[in-house]
Amino acid sequence: MVDRLAPALDLYEFQGKELFRRFGIPVSDGRLATTPEATRSAAQELGGPVVVKAQVLIGGRGKAGGIKLAETPDDAEERAREILGMDIRGHTVRKVWIEKASEIAREYYLSITFDRGAKKPLLMFTTRGGIDIEEVAASSPDALARLHVDPLAGYHPWQGRRLVYDSGLEDLSEQKQVVQIVGRLYEAFTGSDAMLCEINPLIVTTEGEVRALDSKFTVDDNALFRLPEIAAMRDLDAADPLEALAREKGVTYVKLDGEVGVLGNGAGLTMATVDVVTFAGGRPSNFCDLGGGGDAQGVVDALEVITGDPQVRSIFFNIFGGITRCDEVARGILQALERMQVEQPLVVRLDGTNAEEGRRLLRDAASENLHVEPTMLDAARRAVELAV
Ligand code: GDP
Ligand code: MN
């Protein structure tokens, strides 16, 4: 729950590789396509054998048949026909990335994650790449070299050398290339406010060149305001449609799985509202924070998002008036209800500044759909009762 309230932006492989390229990490030349015909032209432009790769925000595409080699443009078109529209563990493939096929001699693994326990970025490298890293960590933990970087001291090349030395990598040219990539990946990680940068596999070609063959890149949502180019990479089609609608309207909304819609003002109160609904024996259908305001438009926007979920049976409106007075919020609610049709019963609890007047306004409106309750617990019980 808390993790989902601090959402992160996962990038597609082709987007992560674009960032890698900008930070000087070697990647293969490639093109994006959404149709088999465009895949053929892309393969033609690239020349020679290519690999057609499903772009979905989930790993294990290779095993699922979402990655295929193609010798010719005709072949590439055929492969795209097979891959586009494919379902990979609940993710529909709408885009493919076509890149020059690599001749792989060896597959390594390199990543940087944010280690919350240590409060430091953690570098990990192993020469046993290509496969599930959890498997390596479990079966041969010694093969996985790990090193923390102090964010204040920053990254220093000796750390990359240390990491590579600890992994047992012996080839001098490979050592040098990997160390350089570690440094650049650290720059990509900090420069993009990433929470995860993973290259699996980091390959060595038959020519001895080290290159990123895959990319997993997760960026901290809270940093997107200062990273407009990365923020624009978000794929709204892939998100939950209600969460996408909420984002569009500027409503802070997280979809949950129950029947009681929750609308509060302030993140803390809204979290408490989710808890109290559960305490009263109900299941919240969402988390929705109205923020500081309570104007009619804000209420309309929030209610539109909440009622867009067909599971919602009742809505619990929990307001504590501070700077935003309860009478203002009550007027906002009444205006919102004039502007839109809400079928579900609405239970309102108002407390704080001008609560009396707010409640009076709501009662005077005498709408059958509107239930005013004196306390948070009463309101939660009522909302749960009305949801069955
Ligand atoms: P994932 O399955 O989602 O992790 O996708 P990857 O991009 O990591 O690809 C999975 C596997 O496909 C890799 O480990 C490679 O073995 C293989 N593969 C991907 N691209 C190429 C390529 O250009 N040439 C060759 N020979 N194999 C590739
Ligand atoms: Mn991979």
Side-chain angles (χ1 to χ4, degrees):
M1 175 76 199
V2 168
D3 267 1
R4 298 215 51 212
L5 290 180
L9 173 58
D10 291 323
L11 301 181
Y12 286 106
E13 175 196 3
F14 75 91
Q15 297 170 324
K17 281 182 166 170
E18 169 59 23
L19 294 177
F20 284 174
R21 200 184 53 75
R22 286 189 211 170
F23 282 92
I25 296 165
V27 288
S28 305
D29 196 9
R31 304 274 186 282
L32 189 68
T34 54
T35 65
E37 295 74 28
T39 304
R40 163 201 281 275
S41 330
Q44 211 135 30
E45 268 175 58
L46 292 166
V50 296
V51 53
V52 182
K53 308 183 79 174
Q55 296 300 291
V56 280
L57 297 174
I58 194 151
R61 296 163 302 159
K63 277 187 202 148
I67 294 177
K68 297 214 161 92
L69 284 160
E71 291 297 329
T72 64
D74 275 352
D75 202 12
E77 183 175 338
E78 267 325 293
R79 300 288 86 78
R81 230 176 269 290
E82 292 161 14
I83 295 171
L84 286 164
M86 187 185 257
D87 179 281
I88 299 183
R89 288 189 279 147
H91 295 245
T92 308
V93 183
R94 298 182 205 284
K95 304 181 190 82
V96 287
W97 174 246
I98 303 104
E99 71 177 26
K100 271 189 184 249
S102 304
E103 288 195 56
I104 304 174
R106 283 176 288 284
E107 300 196 337
Y108 300 159
Y109 169 101
L110 172 66
S111 71
I112 306 181
T113 48
F114 191 77
D115 182 348
R116 288 171 193 275
K119 300 181 180 162
K120 287 172 183 158
L122 173 65
L123 307 177
M124 287 194 271
F125 177 73
T126 174
T127 54
R128 306 201 189 171
I131 57 167
D132 232 352
I133 194 61
E134 281 79 15
E135 223 172 284
V136 178
S139 64
S140 34
D142 289 347
L144 185 62
R146 301 154 52 97
L147 191 98
H148 284 106
V149 176
D150 184 322
L152 295 180
Y155 171 82
H156 295 278
W158 67 262
Q159 292 168 310
R161 292 197 291 273
R162 173 94 227 189
L163 190 74
V164 166
Y165 177 79
D166 285 350
S167 76
L169 180 68
E170 279 174 358
D171 183 278
L172 286 178
S173 157
E174 289 179 22
Q175 285 181 354
K176 211 172 139 198
Q177 293 178 72
V178 173
V179 169
Q180 191 171 55
I181 291 172
V182 174
R184 290 177 178 173
L185 192 64
Y186 190 80
E187 278 171 32
F189 181 85
T190 51
S192 312
D193 288 291
M195 296 162 84
L196 166 73
C197 286
E198 185 186 81
I199 309 178
N200 189 24
L202 178 71
I203 59 158
V204 185
T205 66
T206 45
E207 257 101 65
E209 192 211 340
V210 181
R211 202 189 305 154
L213 203 70
D214 192 6
S215 154
K216 201 167 163 194
F217 211 117
T218 305
V219 178
D220 184 347
D221 240 37
N222 295 302
L224 292 178
F225 73 94
R226 61 181 180 192
L227 298 165
E229 276 185 59
I230 295 178
M233 289 180 175
R234 189 190 294 277
D235 184 352
L236 293 173
D237 297 337
D240 179 281
L242 280 177
E243 291 188 7
L245 175 71
R247 206 177 292 278
E248 217 171 89
K249 290 185 176 287
V251 174
T252 308
Y253 173 90
V254 179
K255 168 104 175 69
L256 301 171
D257 203 29
E259 295 77 32
V260 181
V262 167
L263 185 55
N265 68 333
L269 182 66
T270 310
M271 287 278 254
T273 311
V274 165
D275 285 346
V276 79
V277 165
T278 310
F279 180 74
R283 296 194 315 156
S285 70
N286 68 277
F287 168 100
C288 186
D289 175 11
L290 198 57
D295 62 314
Q297 194 52 47
V299 177
V300 168
D301 287 345
L303 284 176
E304 270 177 2
V305 175
I306 293 173
T307 57
D309 175 355
Q311 266 176 247
V312 174
R313 298 285 195 71
S314 69
I315 300 165
F316 176 7
F317 215 117
N318 194 7
I319 299 299
F320 188 85
I323 294 169
T324 309
R325 305 182 326 253
C326 289
D327 57 307
E328 283 171 36
V329 181
R331 282 192 194 91
I333 296 172
L334 293 174
Q335 280 171 26
L337 293 181
E338 272 166 27
R339 281 196 220 164
M340 69 180 289
Q341 188 70 33
V342 178
E343 271 149 37
Q344 296 87 341
L346 210 69
V347 181
V348 185
R349 173 260 183 172
L350 291 175
D351 209 344
T353 314
N354 289 5
E356 273 306 320
E357 177 166 7
R359 281 185 222 134
R360 190 184 53 74
L361 283 168
L362 292 178
R363 277 202 205 93
D364 288 355
S367 157
E368 269 187 15
N369 224 16
L370 208 54
H371 308 259
V372 183
E373 293 289 341
T375 72
M376 193 154 146
L377 188 57
D378 290 324
R381 288 190 175 130
R382 191 65 180 273
V384 172
E385 230 172 76
L386 290 166
V388 287

